[in-house]
Amino acid sequence: MYIKRMTIQGFKSYKDQTSIEFTPGHNVIVGRNGSGKSNFFAAIRFVLSDAYTQMGREERQALLHGLRKNHTQEGGSATIMSAYVEIIFDNSDERFPTGGKEVTLRRTIGLKKDEYSLDRKNATKADVMNLLESAGFSRSNPYYIVPQGRVTTLTNMKDQERLTLLKEVAGTQVYEARRVESLKIMTETDNKRAKIDELLEYIKDRLGELEEEKEELRAYQEKDRERRCLEYTIYHREQVEIANALDSIDEQRQTGVDETDDNRERFIEGEKEIDELNSEISEIKRQAELQKVDKRQLEDERRDNTRVRAKIELDVKGLSEGRSQAEQAKVQYETELHQVQETIAQRESELQRLLPEFNAKKEEEVGVKRQLDEADAVRQRLYAKQGRNAHFRSKRERDDWLRKEIEEANVTLATRKAILMQTTEDVAEQEETIERITAEVQELRLRFESRGDNMQSMAEQVEMAKEERDRLMDRRKELWREEAKLITILDSAQQELDRAEQVLSHMMDRNTSRGLSAVRRIKRQQNLDGVYGTLAELLEVNERYRTAVEVTAGNSLFHYVVDNDETATRVLEVLQRERSGRVTFMPLNRLRPRPVNLPRSGDAVPMMDKIQFDADYRRAFEQVFGKTIICPNLQIAAQYARSHGVSAITPEGDRSDKKGALTGGFYDPRRSRLEAVKNVMRWRDECETHKTRKEEIRRDIERLDQEITRAVSEVQKIEHKKQQSDASYGPLRTELRSKESLLEKTKDDLAAKKRSADAVDASLREMAEQINSFEAELASEFKKSLTADEERQLEELNSSVQALRKQYAELSTSRSELEARKSVVEVDLRENLTPRLDQLRNQELDQLEQEGGKSSLHEKERQLRRINKAIQAGEKKLREAETAIEQAMSRLSELERRRGERQHQQEEIARAIERHQKRMEKNMAKKSLLTEKAGECSRNIRDLGVLPEEAFERFENTASNTIVKRLHKVNDALKKYGHVNKKAFEQYHNFTKQRDTLIKRRAELDSSQHSIVDLINILDQRKDEAIERTFKQVSREFATTFERLVPAGRGRLVIQRKTDARTAPAEEEESNDDDDDDEEQHGHRKSVENYTGVGISVSFNSKHDDQQRIQQLSGGQKSLCALALVFAIQQCDPAPFYLFDEIDANLDAQYRTAVANMLKEISSGGGGGDAAAATTGDQEDGQEGEAQRDGHAGGGQFICTTFRPEMILVADRCYGVTHINRTSSIDVVEKKQALGFVEGQRQ
């Protein structure tokens, strides 16, 4: 076995992970001072030895790289919070009993931890040390690790210190520890023996006193036995009498219980009946109150309707009187209108007859006038020509003048043609205007004439709209009445709900009540579908099993069932934040009810079978009710509870659990929590129903309000339209008159335009004829007078003009007469008849307005009919309400009478129950007293102790008086034994038994004393033998090793004894000769206690010269002797490997070479075989010898540090330690590099 590989991280100067492999032979490590060589050896000691145990914080800190004081002061290293050292051993020889080829041992240390691991598994320090001990790492011989200074320490040791070292190597500490422990036990044994002797002396004296008290005690016991027999007889007879009295009380109690149970059942039934009567009375009162509210509303409506009807009747009366006067005026109006219309028809007929004749005369007059004008124009031209010719001197002058006139005439002709065209256009436009105005007048007249129909239609529309409005308002009134009634019902239901919730809250603690209310509010606000309700709200159970369910569930009735723990957490957070009480939640996803073996028989029914609930909540109900069965009585319940390990309960609520506890008694059904919960749920549902209906009514009222608003708006719209129509007939009349005036004016303008056009046309013809005349004259010859033709023409024209003027005058006269007659007719129509007709039509409008008043009358009459109908319906409903109130009050009186009778019966039953209760209490008090007496008798009998057999029959037939008298005599006889020790026999027996026990115990202590003395002697002997044996082995190995290191010299160990001071040196040497046979032959054995020290005597030059003590040697020689002693100790107790830290520092060159060669031989397994074999004969333990042989035969692994080349030359592998940036590292180096480094260090 050897160290195969080693890994360090964070330990002292080794900051980074450093891993190095070793050979099983000689390994040499080189490096500068302070580079980390000693820290490397310290890492191995950190894992394998006891050097680093029970460290404080500062000591731990010193082992960590970044936390060492010098580093923290320099501030150059990062902080390392933990470090570890791991060593991997080659276990091919299975020296470690682990069964593996390798063994990995690691130790990790931090500021607050110190841990071992073995093969990557955690292990204790004791386990690790025991494993190392089993592999040969002896705590008594720590010299397989030789740190710096150890050699110097050995060199400077005194003889006494070397003796102490030899004892440690021999393992005497174990013997000393066991010897001290044995002495301590022996001292304790002596103390115990002394105490036992004292007790035995006391017991001997006490037994002598008790011998004298025993005889007096025997006489006392005889009298006492008789006394106890007499007292037992008295107590037993008293017990029998008490038992008989208790049986009688139990019979009376059972009879009273049965009677009380009957009364209680009758009382409970009566309470139920009273509750039903109270509920029915409350309902009737509520209905009566609603009827009263309805009656008040109906009375209010009747008063309002009566007041409205009176007002409508007054309006109808006034409208009826105005209607008769309007009818008379209408007759007069129609007569006058008929007359005016006939007169207008006559005038229009006459005008139609005159117009053709007038037009014919006018046309004839116009024709004659035209002819007259033409003839007069020709004549005037001829006269002008006749006059012009006299003014002109020549034709040229005439022609110039004519041309000029023609030009002027053409200009005038063009102008007049333009005027004619404009006039023609104006005439056409006037005609179009007349047509348009005529159409407008006809339309206005049509509208004017159709006014009555429109007004009638609008009145009908108004009436229909008002009917719709009234219908909607009636419907809204009904809804208002229903809403008021519903508000009353809701208030009553809310009061009942508050009462029910208050009753329920009194059945639970305040926090739970507040919590349940808060959970319902949170569920409503956050719309949580996963919050289902309490168990009491989610179950239905038959009334027969209600009490059993309540008793089984207890407070679990108010546990809230939710879908999962997330929902419960969410609600709980709100409860915690709002501080709204406490609630226990049952998340269905977390509930895992265990299956239970429930009995299945006729007298054991699982409670789950009697509960109705939603299958989704089965886990919650199985959690609470799954382990409970219902049995007919408590005896059967107790049997099933014990046999099946379940909870059993009766329908009355008496319960037996699996541990045998019985719970029962009277359970008041009036305090039923399930009933309270159902009552709350019922009133809550009723409130929600009424609230829902109230909201529906409110929505209907709002909808009706909108419809009524639309209906009122429609009525107002139609009335406004009617008012606009009424207001528009005045302007319509004005517009009609304006249009007619405009039409007449336009016609006059048209006539004027036509006359102007005719005049312009005539002027144009005249102008054209004049131009033609000028042109003809321009073409004729110039003469001073007219031609004959022209003279003749002029004469003809003069006569024609005279005739035409006469004819024109006649026609004008005839036309004027016709025109005068026509004008009279037109003026009469326009100025008289037509205005009168319009006036009459205006009266017709007024009559139509009166017809509107008539419509108002119809409206009022309709309203009157409607209000009468409403009053009749209200009267009918009022009578029905009064009838219902009377019936309700009659029914209420009947129910209150029945309730009073029932309450009286309940009082009688309660008094009977109270009487029975008092009687039962008296019996129970009597029973309690008798039970107490019976207990006292039993105690008295128990106090009598163990009775003789004769006590049960000796005085059985003796009279009680005789027994009492005899008891008095016995008690008097016992008084003289008042001083007797009543426990003399018992005490004598106890002391005798205690004496025997102490004697036996003292014998055991004596035996133990001898065993301890023998053990101490054996331990002393073995310690001496171990010291002697170890000295011999070490001495022999020292001589051999010294001879190998100094072939020319000789060395040995010298034991120092107390007698050596009086003995010659020659005798001393003989006494310490290596041959032990001399002492055995002479039978001389010196005690180890006489040893005072171990000296070293050596000779470096000869095997026969006088030897020198170590104090007389040089420093190098002393170091060599110390090394020889170390090698000798190691050869006596070989280890698997050795660690040497600069052991050759003080040696001379020749001795360094010898030490190096010796290490090479030992590591290769060559040297020391004979010496090891020689030691086996002195070993008492065969296994020890075998271990030593294995260690020598296989050589050993050496790991050494050095600054000398001799050690490097024989090394199997070399390693170099470097120190860079305050961090050490170790690597394999070539032997040449190692030698170069050593040579450099020496220079």
Side-chain angles (χ1 to χ4, degrees), residues 1011-1210:
S1011 299
I1012 293 172
V1013 171
D1014 295 340
L1015 177 61
I1016 291 173
N1017 294 331
I1018 293 172
L1019 289 174
D1020 291 340
Q1021 180 182 357
R1022 289 186 178 181
K1023 182 181 71 172
D1024 295 344
E1025 291 174 355
I1027 294 173
E1028 290 286 347
R1029 181 171 61 252
T1030 302
F1031 173 74
K1032 292 176 183 179
Q1033 293 176 2
V1034 173
S1035 178
R1036 184 182 298 112
E1037 294 297 335
F1038 178 80
T1040 304
T1041 302
F1042 189 82
E1043 185 176 357
R1044 293 175 65 184
L1045 294 176
V1046 186
R1050 178 170 177 264
R1052 61 175 182 160
L1053 296 179
V1054 179
I1055 195 74
Q1056 300 289 339
R1057 297 185 175 87
K1058 294 179 180 179
T1059 58
D1060 290 344
R1062 301 184 299 272
T1063 306
E1067 294 175 354
E1068 180 184 288
E1069 292 178 2
E1070 290 177 359
S1071 65
N1072 288 282
D1073 191 79
D1074 293 338
D1075 192 359
D1076 297 329
D1077 295 337
D1078 294 339
E1079 293 184 2
E1080 293 177 359
Q1081 291 174 359
H1082 294 89
H1084 177 71
R1085 179 179 183 84
K1086 299 180 176 64
S1087 173
V1088 176
E1089 297 296 330
N1090 293 326
Y1091 292 173
T1092 61
V1094 176
I1096 297 177
S1097 178
V1098 295
S1099 173
F1100 282 88
N1101 298 321
S1102 172
K1103 297 183 181 294
H1104 304 288
D1105 293 343
D1106 293 337
Q1107 296 181 347
Q1108 296 175 322
R1109 293 298 182 99
I1110 190 170
Q1111 293 84 358
Q1112 301 171 346
L1113 301 177
S1114 65
Q1117 292 174 341
K1118 289 180 179 180
S1119 298
L1120 182 64
C1121 292
L1123 282 176
L1125 179 60
V1126 170
F1127 288 140
I1129 293 172
Q1130 291 175 350
Q1131 291 296 327
C1132 290
D1133 190 5
F1137 62 88
Y1138 304 95
L1139 305 178
F1140 292 157
D1141 190 3
E1142 298 183 13
I1143 62 174
D1144 58 351
N1146 299 323
L1147 296 178
D1148 297 332
Q1150 58 178 343
Y1151 300 137
R1152 290 199 298 268
T1153 302
V1155 170
N1157 291 331
M1158 183 177 176
L1159 293 180
K1160 179 65 176 176
E1161 292 176 3
I1162 295 175
S1163 64
S1164 62
D1170 295 338
T1175 63
T1176 58
D1178 297 327
Q1179 299 292 332
E1180 292 182 4
D1181 192 342
Q1183 294 180 351
E1184 248 182 70
E1186 187 65 27
Q1188 285 193 350
R1189 285 193 299 273
D1190 292 343
H1192 287 288
Q1197 181 188 38
F1198 288 89
I1199 302 175
C1200 308
T1201 64
T1202 185
F1203 283 103
R1204 307 298 181 181
E1206 290 81 4
M1207 192 79 72
I1208 297 173
L1209 291 173
V1210 299

Side-chain angles (χ1 to χ4, degrees), residues 294-324:
D294 199 8
K295 179 183 177 183
R296 286 195 294 270
Q297 292 177 350
L298 291 172
E299 289 175 348
D300 293 340
E301 288 182 3
R302 181 177 64 179
R303 284 194 298 271
D304 295 340
N305 291 334
T306 303
R307 187 167 53 253
V308 172
R309 181 175 65 178
K311 183 178 179 182
I312 293 174
E313 286 176 348
L314 291 176
D315 294 339
V316 169
K317 183 178 181 182
L319 290 173
S320 298
E321 292 176 355
R323 181 179 179 185
S324 61

Side-chain angles (χ1 to χ4, degrees), residues 802-817:
Q802 292 294 328
L804 287 173
R805 283 180 178 172
K806 182 179 179 182
Q807 185 179 359
Y808 177 71
E810 292 176 355
L811 289 172
S812 294
T813 302
S814 177
R815 178 192 58 79
S816 297
E817 292 176 357

Side-chain angles (χ1 to χ4, degrees), residues 230 962-973 975:
L230 293 171
T962 305
I963 293 175
V964 171
K965 291 178 180 179
R966 189 166 181 176
L967 179 61
H968 285 305
K969 292 180 180 179
V970 172
N971 287 330
D972 292 338
K975 289 179 180 179

